[in-house]
Amino acid sequence: MAANVFPFRDARAAPDPVLEAGPVAHGPLPVPLVLDNGSFQVRAGWACPGQDPGPEPRLQFRAVCARGRGGARGGAGPQVGNALGSLEPLRWMLRSPFDRNVPVNLELQELLLDYSFQHLVGWVGLEGCVDHPIVLTEAVCNPLYSRQMMSELLFECYRIPKVAYGIDSLFSFYYNKPRNSMCSGLIISSGYQCTHILPILEGRLDAKNCKRINLGGSQTAGYLQRLLQLKYPGHLAAITLSRMEEILHEHSYIAEDYVEELHKWRCPDYYENNVHKMQLPFSSKLLGSTLTSEEKQERRQQQLRRLQELNARRREEKLQLDQERLDRLLYVQELLEDGQMDQFHKALIELNMDSPEELQSYIQKLSAAVEQAKQKILQAEVNLEVDVVDSKPETPDLEQLEPSLEDVESMNDFDPLFSEETPGVEKPVTTVQPVFNLAAYHQLFVGTERIRAPEIIFQPSLIGEEQAGIAETLQYILDRYPKDIQEMLVQNVFLTGGNTMYPGMKARMEKELLEMRPFQSSFQVQLASNPVLDAWYGARDWALDHLDDNEVWITRKEYEEKGGEYLKEHCASNIYVPIRLPKQASRSSDAQASSKGSAAGGGGAGEQA
């Protein structure tokens, strides 16, 4: 780009078509359906067996919903994901089933699953079911309530045969590790809402030492938006979250040494060579200066005429609907006059009316409304004609007034106010206009903001968060293990998640580990081959490897016997902690002890007597 100028793409999502599953998915054995249920994006696709299990997930959409205004009255219902198109006009209406990274809203989660199954399986209607095993991702240390809600939704609403739950970052780790190996390591997973650091010992999650940082891509985009809005208060509305996410994905990077990088930006040459100028959309015309008074008046007349036509069209549509309803009511009244009582009562029930008197009253009101609407339409047409006729002779009237002003004796008093030189005020505007660069005015100079926004996951204090960053949390986790286990864990530090895709992320983690580890000790940092999609790829490969393993799948029978919170553990799952209810047992034992004590007290009193 010329002089580091980058236009905003403002990508608009296209609605997803209903995809054909293909003959492999409808074979003799049910093919698993893999759902990566992320708080930013949902990814769904088939785990087809064979040499080529298929490319990336066939369905990817944002995990947001928006309800239409007329959904309850037969209008547009709720829209999900890519069906929304551009998110910014609907930002205030968007709803997500997630609280942080945990799904808590059952109704909105059902909308996301409906959208996925309708586009992949063709499941439509309340009587349909999904006859495929489901592999579903969940949050680290997922609350039992959330898993119970999800299991109830899958088994009761969609009637699936079986389901398996796993953690997205562990699936990504499973996809990138060597086959059939029990690896140990540290997973740093940074997503849209939070960042997790997960220790893995011999291929299994050590849930007791997992830590979460409540910072991710959402907080980074919000911080960048505040920085640029403070810097450019004249473009508040144009600095949207979608554009901030675009800047983060394509123009931001992680500084290996944050303070040293800030000192580099103080150099004017470095700033000029590395600043990214984001071009906002703008109009090439300055309406306030280029339009004359006649053009403004003509534009007002056009807008008024367009508004009148729109109102007239709306009146005609309403009149047509009222006329059709009135004809229907008059037809029902004719049934009563003809003595067809059975048909009359049926029609009366369909109209939700109780008596002929109510029907007659409604007919009178509707007739009056129809007549009033017709009169309004006629009056609007007359007013429109009058306006058109009256708008033409404006200039002759002004010319007729000029002689009357010349006859006034005190005309000299008005000369300073109405001098002939006043029209010349508009001339400097045309000379100044080429000097003013309108495109440069609509540019956002993104300099140090390129590194300040992603830095919050290492320094949460930049946005006022009283949390430890990634490096401090990593050091805290390592200190909880003996030195030999620490040495084993740092040999495989694995980075995954969409918020780790910044350039320089791997070099920054190597620098942080070099500072915290002992002198001349070794470590290794690995970045996922595709931090965004490797979770889905790993879940797909896991489903194919364990398709016939009943030790990892939760069947419908087990769901009914053990409850929705039940979980079967495997290499990519959470640790199952069943619900324990010791209070009821303690109450019953206390009641038995008190009854025994009262009986013993009664016996002792009898002996004393």
Side-chain angles (χ1 to χ4, degrees):
M1 301 297 294
N4 291 339
V5 178
F6 300 89
F8 283 107
R9 292 186 292 107
D10 289 336
R12 182 183 178 89
D16 293 308
V18 177
L19 304 172
E20 293 293 335
V24 180
H26 298 291
L29 294 177
V31 175
L33 187 60
V34 181
L35 287 171
D36 183 8
N37 192 34
S39 59
F40 177 75
Q41 195 178 51
V42 177
R43 305 167 190 90
W46 300 99
C48 297
Q51 300 253 337
D52 185 11
E56 60 185 23
R58 306 185 67 185
L59 194 64
Q60 301 182 49
F61 59 93
R62 286 289 296 267
V64 288
C65 313
R67 293 190 175 277
R69 289 186 172 181
R73 300 186 299 272
Q79 294 180 322
V80 179
N82 294 333
L84 295 170
S86 179
L87 298 182
E88 289 309 320
L90 306 172
R91 180 71 68 178
W92 63 279
M93 296 176 58
L94 297 181
R95 298 292 181 269
S96 173
F98 291 88
D99 182 6
R100 293 290 182 180
N101 62 328
V102 178
V104 295
N105 192 315
L106 180 64
E107 184 179 0
L108 296 179
Q109 183 63 55
E110 184 178 355
L111 291 178
L112 297 184
L113 293 177
D114 282 350
Y115 187 85
S116 303
F117 294 148
Q118 286 173 359
H119 287 78
L120 286 178
V121 189
W123 176 88
V124 179
L126 296 175
E127 299 300 327
C129 63
V130 180
D131 295 325
H132 294 271
I134 302 294
V135 180
L136 188 67
T137 60
E138 63 178 8
V140 179
C141 301
N142 192 33
L144 296 181
Y145 165 75
S146 178
R147 188 182 302 125
Q148 181 182 7
M149 176 193 73
M150 195 67 69
S151 296
E152 180 181 351
L153 185 62
L154 291 173
F155 283 109
E156 301 295 343
C157 181
Y158 302 105
R159 295 185 285 181
I160 65 171
K162 56 184 179 180
V163 65
Y165 295 103
I167 302 173
D168 52 355
S169 54
L170 292 185
F171 279 133
S172 179
F173 184 72
Y174 179 89
Y175 179 73
N176 286 272
K177 74 179 181 65
R179 288 288 181 172
N180 301 322
S181 63
M182 302 296 288
C183 292
S184 298
L186 277 169
I187 300 176
I188 300 177
S189 173
S190 185
Y192 187 62
Q193 291 289 352
C194 53
T195 300
H196 289 95
I197 301 180
L198 313 176
I200 306 296
L201 296 176
E202 300 297 332
R204 300 304 293 269
L205 175 69
D206 185 9
K208 292 183 179 180
N209 293 319
C210 295
K211 296 299 173 185
R212 183 179 78 172
I213 305 170
N214 290 323
L215 291 174
S218 175
Q219 291 76 19
T220 306
Y223 180 49
L224 179 60
Q225 184 185 33
R226 292 198 300 272
L227 288 177
L228 292 180
Q229 284 181 342
L230 287 171
K231 190 175 181 179
Y232 298 98
H235 301 301
L236 290 180
I239 302 174
T240 61
L241 279 176
S242 298
R243 288 172 177 168
M244 297 305 100
E245 291 171 358
E246 182 178 338
I247 292 177
L248 288 175
H249 294 163
E250 300 179 6
H251 304 278
S252 298
Y253 65 97
I254 296 286
E256 186 173 350
D257 190 324
Y258 181 66
V259 178
E260 182 182 349
E261 192 72 17
L262 287 179
H263 284 299
K264 289 182 181 178
W265 279 96
R266 297 179 64 181
C267 176
D269 294 336
Y270 186 87
Y271 179 88
E272 187 65 29
N273 294 330
N274 292 277
V275 67
H276 283 195
K277 303 171 185 178
M278 307 303 300
Q279 183 67 61
L280 294 171
F282 66 96
S283 175
S284 59
K285 288 186 177 181
L286 285 174
L287 298 179
S289 60
T290 58
L291 291 180
T292 62
S293 58
E294 291 80 4
E295 291 176 348
K296 290 180 181 178
Q297 184 68 20
E298 181 65 24
R299 176 162 295 188
R300 290 196 196 99
Q301 291 291 337
Q302 292 178 0
Q303 293 175 351
L304 179 61
R305 199 174 299 113
R306 197 177 300 117
L307 184 61
Q308 290 175 345
E309 293 174 357
L310 180 62
N311 291 334
R313 194 181 306 116
R314 288 179 178 174
R315 289 194 193 99
E316 291 176 358
E317 292 175 355
K318 186 176 183 302
L319 176 62
Q320 185 178 359
L321 292 176
D322 291 343
Q323 187 65 46
E324 293 176 357
R325 197 177 306 163
L326 180 61
D327 294 341
R328 170 67 176 164
L329 296 178
L330 293 175
Y331 172 73
V332 175
Q333 189 179 23
E334 290 178 0
L335 294 178
L336 176 62
E337 295 174 355
D338 295 342
Q340 302 178 10
M341 301 306 296
D342 294 338
Q343 298 181 5
F344 172 73
H345 287 301
K346 288 182 181 179
L348 210 61
I349 292 173
E350 291 178 358
L351 296 173
N352 198 15
M353 295 184 182
D354 299 330
S355 61
E357 292 78 8
E358 184 179 358
L359 175 65
Q360 186 64 30
S361 174
Y362 199 76
I363 289 176
Q364 293 177 358
K365 292 179 181 178
L366 199 57
S367 300
V370 169
E371 291 298 328
Q372 188 177 3
K374 290 180 179 178
Q375 293 178 3
K376 284 185 178 180
I377 291 175
L378 292 176
Q379 187 177 2
E381 292 177 354
V382 173
N383 291 338
L384 184 61
E385 293 177 358
V386 171
D387 292 340
V388 173
V389 173
D390 292 344
S391 61
K392 292 180 179 178
E394 287 180 359
T395 51
D397 292 340
L398 293 176
E399 292 176 357
Q400 293 176 5
L401 290 175
E402 290 179 359
S404 62
L405 291 175
E406 293 175 355
D407 296 335
V408 178
E409 295 179 355
S410 60
M411 188 63 188
N412 295 329
D413 298 337
F414 296 94
D415 289 341
L417 297 178
F418 301 98
S419 61
E420 296 180 357
E421 296 178 358
T422 51
V425 177
E426 298 181 357
K427 294 181 179 179
V429 176
T430 57
T431 59
V432 173
Q433 185 179 357
V435 178
F436 180 71
N437 190 349
L438 194 60
Y441 175 74
H442 288 84
Q443 287 177 0
L444 306 179
F445 284 57
V446 185
T448 57
E449 293 83 7
R450 296 176 60 194
I451 61 172
R452 290 176 66 186
E455 184 67 20
I456 66 170
I457 60 176
F458 290 93
Q459 301 185 54
S461 60
L462 291 176
I463 59 173
E465 290 286 342
E466 296 182 356
Q467 300 184 55
I470 288 181
E472 293 87 348
T473 308
L474 186 61
Q475 178 68 60
Y476 176 78
I477 292 175
L478 289 174
D479 290 342
R480 298 171 68 93
Y481 292 100
K483 290 187 177 181
D484 55 340
I485 298 182
Q486 289 184 24
E487 188 67 27
M488 179 178 61
L489 290 176
V490 297
Q491 297 304 317
N492 188 11
V493 179
F494 180 70
L495 305 177
T496 186
N499 205 38
T500 62
M501 297 181 66
Y502 301 111
M505 182 69 179
K506 182 179 178 181
R508 176 65 177 271
M509 286 307 306
E510 290 175 346
K511 174 183 174 295
E512 298 290 348
L513 283 169
L514 184 64
E515 292 178 354
M516 72 176 66
R517 297 301 298 158
F519 179 63
Q520 290 186 344
S521 61
S522 62
F523 55 85
Q524 185 176 0
V525 179
Q526 177 189 0
L527 182 65
S529 57
N530 190 333
V532 175
L533 296 179
D534 276 0
W536 187 87
Y537 291 142
R540 178 198 64 187
D541 293 350
W542 180 92
L544 294 176
D545 294 341
H546 299 82
L547 189 57
D548 299 327
D549 188 2
N550 294 325
E551 298 297 324
V552 297
W553 297 91
I554 305 170
T555 62
R556 183 178 183 85
K557 183 179 179 181
E558 291 171 331
Y559 159 75
E560 294 173 349
E561 290 178 357
K562 302 180 181 180
E565 69 278 359
Y566 178 64
L567 173 69
K568 285 188 176 180
E569 298 181 8
H570 51 84
C571 62
S573 73
N574 277 303
I575 305 299
Y576 176 54
V577 181
I579 298 177
R580 295 184 177 87
L581 300 174
K583 293 183 179 181
Q584 295 181 357
S586 61
R587 289 178 182 175
S588 60
S589 60
D590 293 343
Q592 291 177 2
S594 61
S595 62
K596 289 181 180 179
S598 61
E607 291 176 359
Q608 289 178 3

